[in-house]
Amino acid sequence: MEIRRAILKTRDPGREVGWQRQWRIYKQHRALIVMLLPGLALFLLFSYVPLYGIVIAFKHFQITEGILGSPWAGLENFERLFKGNGFLNALRHSVLIAFLKMVFVFPAPIVLALLLNEIRLTWFRRTIQTVTYLPHFFSWVVLAGILFPFLGSEGGFNKLLSLFGIAEQLWLLEPDYFYGAVVLTDIWQSAGWGSIVYFAVLASIDPSLYEAAIADGASRWRRIWHISLPSLAPTVIIMYLLSIGHFLSVGFDQIYNLMTPPTSGVGEILDTYVLRRLLTMDYELGTAAGLFNSTVGLTLVLVANALVKLFNKERGLW
């Protein structure tokens, strides 16, 4: 027995088969695996177990019969979904808002990080960071409670505009201004927090690169264009790929709290459409709309990742 143990201890690890090598690695890191189990259990419980509810989209769901007992409907719910004007309007609004946010909201943290990186006064930079981070820690319920009085007829924004001779407007009650208000308030709420990742990348750039550029006579804009932006490119691509999966999820909390009866005609999005279907107990249609949203997000991630790897194989998600 002792001889066998000695042989096992001196055995060449290179001769181990695949499962033996993996088992040895797992035994070496068993403490880390035990620490991983609670998080993995929560992930499975809240992310994978609910996927069973997708079956409702393919059934004539009846609460008394349950998911398994409800009769099969096939694609009837999806046909009913695409034939309804409510879904098509919500889809149109979601795509438009998503496009506006991708054009204006996504670059906002990048621009803010570049501006913060150019500030040399530490106390001033930290003050700006604190002010821009602050809205992220408030829910949209609180932010909406701040924005409605501020953007109202007697609010501070209208009083400021009156100094320049601009007539007051009900900015959150006018459908023509709703998309602009959504984009600007989203930038206000998310740009500061989103800039943390980009600013960390900029802070890790070797200062000698900037010093060499200054010695060569490069202007500040040239240093940003040829040093800062190329350094940010890999991170920007990863963040873009992560965000494109939520393309049609344009912010339920924000839209739901900012939308009013006058703006509901332009503010109805897929998430609010799903909520209204659930409130009317039309679970099949709500589930079908949610499944459509998730399918589009997955497709966009796969296509975007393939396009990124087509130009640079090292910058994809996988």
Side-chain angles (χ1 to χ4, degrees), residues 15-282:
R15 295 183 178 179
E16 294 178 337
V17 295
W19 69 268
Q20 292 176 326
R21 187 181 304 109
Q22 291 296 327
W23 178 249
R24 179 169 54 82
I25 294 174
Y26 290 150
K27 289 181 64 177
Q28 292 175 349
H29 300 88
R30 55 182 175 272
L32 297 177
I33 295 176
V34 172
M35 294 173 62
L36 175 67
L37 291 179
L40 183 61
L42 289 175
F43 184 75
L44 293 174
L45 179 63
F46 292 103
S47 297
Y48 279 90
V49 174
L51 290 178
Y52 173 66
I54 292 176
V55 180
I56 296 176
F58 303 94
K59 290 202 168 189
H60 294 300
F61 180 66
Q62 300 174 5
I63 296 180
T64 56
E65 299 295 334
I67 297 178
L68 292 178
S70 299
W72 188 259
L75 299 177
E76 290 182 18
N77 293 322
F78 290 93
E79 293 178 4
R80 188 160 59 96
L81 180 71
F82 289 109
K83 289 180 179 179
N85 292 329
F87 172 77
L88 296 178
N89 288 331
L91 178 61
R92 188 182 304 111
H93 300 156
S94 297
V95 171
L96 180 56
I97 295 175
F99 177 77
L100 292 174
K101 287 192 173 186
M102 193 61 66
V103 173
F104 296 104
V105 179
F106 180 78
I110 304 173
V111 175
L112 180 59
L114 291 171
L115 294 175
L116 291 173
N117 190 55
E118 296 300 317
I119 298 176
R120 294 295 172 258
L121 295 176
T122 304
W123 66 269
F124 184 65
R125 182 175 64 246
R126 290 179 178 175
T127 302
I128 297 298
Q129 287 176 313
T130 302
V131 172
T132 55
Y133 293 169
L134 192 60
H136 172 78
F137 297 99
F138 294 95
S139 69
W140 275 107
V141 177
V142 176
L143 295 178
I146 296 172
L147 290 169
F148 272 103
F150 180 72
L151 298 176
S153 59
E154 300 296 329
F157 189 65
N158 275 320
K159 291 186 180 299
L160 179 63
L161 294 179
S162 64
L163 299 177
F164 300 94
I166 301 176
E168 67 179 33
Q169 299 286 343
L170 299 175
W171 301 101
L172 292 177
L173 299 178
E174 293 288 343
D176 294 338
Y177 304 130
F178 183 73
Y179 291 152
V182 167
V183 170
L184 292 176
T185 53
D186 196 10
I187 292 174
W188 171 57
Q189 191 265 349
S190 62
W193 184 258
S195 67
I196 294 176
V197 174
Y198 303 112
F199 185 73
V201 175
L202 292 173
S204 65
I205 298 175
D206 189 354
S208 63
L209 296 176
Y210 291 105
E211 295 171 359
I214 294 173
D216 291 338
S219 63
R220 179 167 295 185
W221 169 249
R222 287 293 182 182
R223 296 197 297 271
I224 293 174
W225 184 260
H226 293 288
I227 299 176
S228 300
L229 286 177
S231 300
L232 283 176
T235 305
V236 171
I237 291 173
I238 294 298
M239 298 301 290
Y240 176 79
L241 292 175
L242 292 175
S243 64
I244 197 68
H246 305 280
F247 182 76
L248 292 180
S249 300
V250 292
F252 169 78
D253 292 343
Q254 180 194 16
I255 303 295
Y256 188 74
N257 285 284
L258 294 183
M259 188 168 55
T260 58
T263 59
S264 60
V266 297
E268 181 82 354
I269 58 174
L270 287 180
D271 291 335
T272 57
Y273 175 84
V274 170
L275 174 64
R276 299 189 195 286
R277 298 288 74 73
L278 297 180
L279 292 176
T280 58
M281 301 183 68
D282 194 349

